[in-house]
Amino acid sequence: MFVDQTKIDVQAGKGGDGAVAFRHEKYVPLGGPAGGDGGRGGSIILVADSGLRTLMDFRFRRKFKADNGENGRIKSQYGRGAKDVRLKVPMGTSVYDFNTGELLGDLVENGQELVVAHGGKGGRGNIHFATPTRTAPEIAENGEPGEFRTLRLELKVLADVGLVGFPSVGKSTLLSVVTKAKPKIAAYEFTTLTPNLGMVVLPDGRDFSMADLPGLIEGASKGVGLGIQFLRHVERTKVILHLVSMDPNNGRDAYEDYETIRKELAGYTKDLTTKKEIIVATQMDIPGSEEKFAEFKKNLGDKTVYPISSVTHKGVSELMGKTADLVEEVAKEEAEKPAEIKVAEKEYVYKKPEDEGFKVERTGEHSFVVTGNKLERLVQRTNLDHTDGIMLLARKLKRLGVDEALRENGAVTGDDVSIADFTFEFVD
């Protein structure tokens, strides 16, 4: 089954917690703190794989979670970092943040990697908090939570040449003649329901990939028929072969068909008519096709059109030669100009939420809630199992102005104050 769009949830691992420990050895009477740091949580990484052609692997499994880092240990031993989770995706996969629509990266080269969820950093053990005046600190940090993301994966077939046109104009037949692909061919519309891909190898050694896309109809760019599902695959092609049927018995005007498809390509989210195009008149082996071709060529004016018959192979070699020339021309132009869209970097740089201060809200007669990214993260990172950690947090909150803000909002001794999952009693 061909799957070219899917939604997945990725959860990176939490960093391990730092340890509170002390050395207790026979000949070390003043051993001091010896709590090690926690290990880093596992990240989620997407990897482009040339052996895949579809996002089918994500159809039934859509939640992926990396392991947490190991907690710090005694004797200054650091916790082990968790392994990253690597998910293979087809080349040509675009990765978007589902909630914001932000393009995180394009995986267009075999082996290219994109970190989509970073594992949390491990917390520091109490070996880092010793000072000349605090020689035995019972202070440690908790590991950072791993990043969670909801992603939209969108596959755009990587092909040099895309075959477009109305249903039953001979796209699949042409693909089967010039490549070793074996698409389904039948005498009814919408035989092709998914893109088919093949390689064209010319006698002079040149080659290029060709994709047979499902037939378009009027209104395709607005969701009519199958077009809207597969127009995205045209985005990555270098050259479009626009096939128009010369069958005199199909009851359609060839020039109107051509203009209709051009209108749909222009009406897509990106104007696809800017791509290099070769107009191809197909089914020239049918009696009466010459007359229809003459009328079509007259309406096209000075545009060049290539008449072919996939059945007799007439004109096919010349068409493939011209196509190869145009592919090389476009590739040269793309190499000379700077890329418009930055492809995926080796690692996606996570942007932390901006610190917008904090907000105090009264939720009851004697209860308050304090919210703010920086404060909530501070509470999450502080180990509150020991008195030293609680006192350190209290001093930091006072320094950040939380105590003063609570007083201004009417807090008095004995009121409950909540920050994230931590609730304490306010003392004025």
Side-chain angles (χ1 to χ4, degrees), residues 4 10 34 57 63 74 143 161-162 171 201 223 228 269 307 390 394 401 403:
D4 61 352
V10 291
D57 291 346
K63 296 182 184 295
I74 61 173
V161 179
K171 297 185 298 296
V201 181
I228 192 63
T269 53
I390 295 174
D403 289 10

Side-chain angles (χ1 to χ4, degrees), residues 156-213:
K156 299 173 184 176
V157 170
L158 285 173
D160 297 316
V161 179
L163 303 178
V164 302
F166 268 83
S168 298
V169 296
K171 297 185 298 296
S172 297
T173 305
L174 177 61
L175 183 71
S176 68
V177 168
V178 298
T179 74
K180 293 184 178 180
K182 301 188 183 303
K184 183 177 180 181
I185 300 171
Y188 55 83
E189 293 190 349
F190 296 113
T191 309
T192 303
L193 299 177
T194 62
N196 295 300
L197 196 64
M199 285 297 299
V200 178
V201 181
L202 301 183
D204 59 10
R206 294 184 294 173
D207 58 49
F208 55 87
S209 55
M210 179 182 286
D212 160 29
L213 305 175

